[in-house]
Amino acid sequence: MDLGKLLVYFDTSPALRLLRSPNAPFIIDFLDRQFKQPGRIAISHSELHAALIAYQEELHESHPTRLAIPADAYLAEWCSSEALWLRRFLEVGRGEPVYQLTPHTEDVFSFLDRVLDKDVGFVGTESRLKLVIDTLADLVVGSSDDPENRLMHLRDEHRRIEEEIKRIEADGRVSKYQPAQIRERFGTAVSPFASYRETFEPSKNRSATLRYRFSNAK
């Protein structure tokens, strides 16, 4: 590893461009739902386009300013030479284009899987994916010095909180986690302690051994 290679990689890598995108959490979440979770390799344009429209409608209930342009424009952007996150091609016997994940996007999923498996241990799929989305969203907001980007994030949060307050005031019902969601979130909460214990216990044992040796040397 050397600085020259790092500079070229950071300047040209489509995988890093995806992770740096302001919409990275949502793009990754959408592609994960369409390709990785169901184990699909290729999806037709009409199906992926309809799925993205449905995803945008769902997303805009909580994040109305995210993925706000037409679905066709996003699919074209993700296939462009500037992005290279999806591959679009014509398959024999099909009357419309088909999409596949590119190796660059597969690299992003592999990287996130390794990091999350290491960091959150037995945490389930839902909490793992939520951790990815929340972490990337926080990274995008926290690493930007653009006032408009920060204001957009704060307005989204403000709107989401107001809508939840209105729903509770209207019908008095509060949504709560299901048992599986509770178990997954509990795993997220306690996993850092397991890592800490793995780091601390060897040090504690070495300290005890040293104390024993010194006491016997007197």
Side-chain angles (χ1 to χ4, degrees), residues 161-207:
I161 293 169
E162 281 192 331
E163 289 175 354
E164 184 173 357
I165 290 172
K166 289 177 181 177
R167 284 197 300 268
I168 294 173
E169 289 177 342
D171 56 26
R173 291 185 297 176
V174 178
S175 60
K176 66 177 184 179
Y177 292 141
Q178 298 301 311
Q181 293 174 308
I182 293 173
R183 287 194 298 271
E184 290 184 359
R185 283 158 177 79
F186 178 77
T188 303
V190 303
S191 57
F193 292 102
S195 176
Y196 172 77
R197 187 172 62 250
E198 290 173 0
T199 302
F200 178 72
E201 285 296 335
S203 299
K204 185 174 70 174
N205 293 338
R206 284 195 296 271
S207 297

Side-chain angles (χ1 to χ4, degrees), residues 65-140:
T65 61
R66 299 296 183 174
L67 295 182
I69 67 176
D72 267 331
Y74 281 118
L75 293 178
E77 176 191 339
W78 300 346
C79 296
S80 69
S81 58
E82 289 76 24
L84 297 176
W85 304 331
L86 284 177
R87 175 178 173 243
R88 174 179 168 136
F89 62 98
L90 285 173
E91 198 173 52
V92 177
R94 287 181 181 260
E96 61 176 335
V98 172
Y99 295 90
Q100 288 182 346
L101 298 178
T102 65
H104 311 295
T105 305
E106 293 283 6
D107 286 345
V108 170
F109 280 108
S110 297
F111 166 73
L112 292 173
D113 282 341
R114 286 197 303 272
V115 170
L116 291 171
D117 283 343
K118 178 180 178 181
D119 288 349
V120 301
F122 65 87
V123 180
T125 301
E126 181 190 354
S127 288
R128 184 184 303 172
L129 184 57
K130 186 177 187 303
L131 180 60
V132 172
I133 294 170
D134 290 348
T135 301
L136 289 175
D138 179 70
L139 179 62
V140 168

